Amino acid sequence: MSTVNPSAGSDSAYAQYAFPTASKSKTDGMGQADFLRLMTEQMKNQDPLNPLKGNEFLGQLAQFSTVQGIENMQQAMSAMASVMENDQSLRAASLVGRDALVEVDKVKLAEGVGANGEIVAIHSGPVQLEVVGAGGQVVRRISVEAAGAGPVQFAWDGKDGDGNALPAGTYTFRASSGSGDSSEALGVRMAARIDSVSIEPTGLVLNLAGLGSMPLSSVRRIG
């Protein structure tokens, strides 16, 4: 911090001090007590031939009021953030054990364990769902009928086309409508149980069985 120079004019004396901004912390910025002390020292050591003018003094008081207002607002915002975080914690606890529908096409499954979810159809007609193994091979094909544009539910029992239970691993689900050149890829949403919820700086993160951690923004429906 610069020291007061008694020989300098009022403008230059006050200009030596960096006025705090809202982005500085309390340890780095000037507090209210520091501001008042420096203003008092400035008045005591001002040049008698160039005294502090009334409008300059009023301007400094206005700056002090601004600093005080910013600090009060920061305290209020901090209290509000704490209340919102506590509210998030209460809401997160109520989600554990429920089912979430997530917009994702891969799921990690145990041996013989199936999966269910929905396909987002864009028009009525048959919709094809392919279950693809970790090696890229299609292990099961399922056909469902869409009554129109919108979600169409599906369920897979974890078995291949011959009725054999498939090994544990990560499976990919691909959906489409039409055939040949007119085939259109469709979105797939998987259903999974919410095992736990984490509260991160970016928001709520759901820890889903078989799907891992997903941000709340990726969830389309909670049952």
Side-chain angles (χ1 to χ4, degrees):
M1 180 179 292
S2 303
T3 56
V4 176
N5 185 359
S7 62
S10 60
D11 292 341
S12 60
Y14 189 74
Q16 296 178 65
Y17 308 106
F19 192 75
T21 61
S23 61
K24 289 189 176 183
S25 64
K26 290 184 178 180
T27 56
D28 296 332
M30 185 188 303
Q32 297 181 24
D34 297 326
F35 191 98
L36 287 174
R37 184 172 65 253
L38 290 173
M39 186 184 297
T40 303
E41 289 297 324
Q42 178 195 5
M43 296 182 67
K44 287 167 56 179
N45 296 282
Q46 64 182 324
D47 186 354
L49 300 178
N50 187 20
L52 183 67
K53 297 178 182 178
N55 59 343
E56 294 174 346
F57 181 71
L58 290 176
Q60 294 178 13
L61 289 179
Q63 288 180 317
F64 174 73
S65 298
T66 301
V67 172
Q68 188 176 26
I70 291 175
E71 290 185 355
N72 292 340
M73 183 176 64
Q74 288 176 334
Q75 293 175 0
M77 292 297 292
S78 178
M80 184 182 300
S82 178
V83 171
M84 292 179 65
E85 185 175 350
N86 292 336
D87 183 62
Q88 274 194 333
S89 301
L90 293 174
R91 293 188 180 190
S94 66
L95 296 178
V96 177
R98 304 179 71 176
D99 290 331
L101 200 64
V102 186
E103 200 158 344
V104 64
D105 59 0
K106 291 185 179 180
V107 58
K108 188 175 182 180
L109 300 172
E111 181 178 359
V113 175
N116 59 81
E118 65 183 30
I119 302 167
V120 185
I122 55 178
H123 52 69
S124 60
V127 174
Q128 291 76 42
L129 177 68
E130 292 181 340
V131 183
V132 183
Q137 74 282 9
V138 178
V139 296
R140 182 73 179 271
R141 287 185 174 88
I142 301 173
S143 180
V144 293
E145 190 72 20
V152 182
Q153 294 184 352
F154 72 86
W156 174 53
D157 57 6
K159 300 178 181 179
D160 60 17
D162 297 326
N164 301 313
L166 291 168
T170 300
Y171 292 88
T172 302
F173 294 78
R174 298 190 306 223
S176 62
S177 62
S179 58
D181 296 337
S182 61
S183 178
E184 298 176 277
L186 303 175
V188 178
R189 298 170 179 173
M190 304 300 300
R193 186 186 70 255
I194 302 174
D195 287 338
S196 62
V197 180
S198 302
I199 301 176
E200 304 294 343
T202 54
L204 291 180
V205 175
L206 306 182
N207 303 309
L208 306 173
L211 299 182
S213 298
M214 296 286 174
L216 185 61
S217 58
S218 66
V219 176
R220 293 296 169 263
R221 187 166 66 247
I222 295 178

